[in-house]
Amino acid sequence: MSRTPEFDRTEVVDAALNVFWSDGYEASSIQKLLDAMNLNRGSLYGSFGDKAGLFCEVMDHYVAVAGGVIQDTLLATENPLDAIQSFFYRALLLADEETLSYGCLLLNTVSELAHTSPRLAQEALRRVAPLIDAFEQRVAQAQTLGMIDDEKSARALANYLMALLAGLRVQAKMGASRETIKDIIDTGLASLRPCPR
């Protein structure tokens, strides 16, 4: 009979998240992770399989935390255009400096591992997909209401919003001021509005 792990799984996964998020996957050595999680190698491998298995669970934990922002803004706000703006403001203007400097764990992973570990990069992309779907849902609603130009498909505009978010994450990591970030958000979202006839 297997032994029950003698640790709080959420707590140790959160500790691993902080290491992966700040240092990246490759630079997060097993020893650095063990120190942060306060585990021995046997506990880590017995509970998570390997470093990649731990990282997949970390990504799930990250999505669960970030999902709260999506639910509270992008999905909860009645006006679809306001919902999109609220999501961008919450994610980029209300986050603390340390969080902004880390960027997005999932986007960082795609960029870092696309060539060296494509399987993990694909795992990160798979976890980004629900956000693109949520963008598409709200864009389609806004198009129906005449708030967003309908010359482009809702999917194309959702992909544009994802690209805007990725670019803003890079700007934030580079130290762009919140005023600059807000200007980029407002300019990007204004481009979605129908042109006056």
Side-chain angles (χ1 to χ4, degrees):
M1 186 172 71
S2 62
R3 294 179 58 195
T4 302
E6 298 174 356
F7 58 82
D8 184 310
R9 195 176 187 93
T10 300
E11 190 175 291
V12 299
V13 169
D14 195 55
L17 166 61
N18 290 332
V19 176
F20 283 126
W21 200 4
S22 64
D23 296 357
Y25 181 81
E26 296 292 357
S28 298
S29 67
I30 290 293
Q31 190 57 55
K32 188 181 292 187
L33 290 162
L34 292 174
D35 291 343
M37 299 164 74
N38 197 27
L39 293 182
N40 59 44
R41 286 178 185 269
S43 293
L44 187 151
Y45 289 115
S47 297
F48 302 100
D50 55 15
K51 180 180 174 181
L54 170 63
F55 188 62
C56 285
E57 189 158 333
V58 162
M59 286 193 288
D60 286 336
H61 179 60
Y62 177 82
V63 168
V65 173
V69 176
I70 296 171
Q71 185 63 47
D72 293 346
T73 57
L74 193 56
L75 299 178
T77 305
E78 184 175 353
N79 181 303
L81 202 52
D82 287 349
I84 294 168
Q85 182 187 65
S86 178
F87 169 79
F88 275 91
Y89 280 10
R90 170 91 173 267
L92 291 148
L93 299 180
L94 300 182
D96 60 66
E97 294 296 335
E98 184 177 48
T99 299
L100 286 175
S101 72
Y102 287 172
C104 170
L105 175 71
L106 301 179
L107 298 178
N108 292 349
T109 299
V110 173
S111 177
E112 179 191 3
L113 302 181
H115 298 295
T116 59
S117 184
R119 184 183 71 81
L120 283 177
Q122 283 298 317
E123 287 291 332
L125 277 174
R126 183 172 65 79
R127 289 164 172 82
V128 171
L131 175 57
I132 301 175
D133 291 342
F135 278 145
E136 181 179 10
Q137 174 188 335
R138 299 320 306 260
V139 166
Q141 291 170 350
Q143 287 177 322
T144 299
L145 295 169
M147 297 175 173
I148 288 181
D149 199 321
D150 61 3
E151 290 186 6
K152 298 285 186 183
S153 72
R155 191 66 181 184
L157 293 178
N159 287 328
Y160 164 76
L161 290 172
M162 192 67 229
L164 178 63
L165 178 63
L168 284 162
R169 289 292 195 186
V170 173
Q171 289 286 321
K173 287 180 72 173
M174 292 169 57
S177 69
R178 290 176 194 265
E179 181 181 3
T180 296
I181 291 171
K182 183 178 183 300
D183 285 344
I184 296 171
I185 294 171
D186 292 345
T187 301
L189 298 187
S191 71
L192 300 178
R193 296 181 183 276
C195 296
R197 301 295 182 189

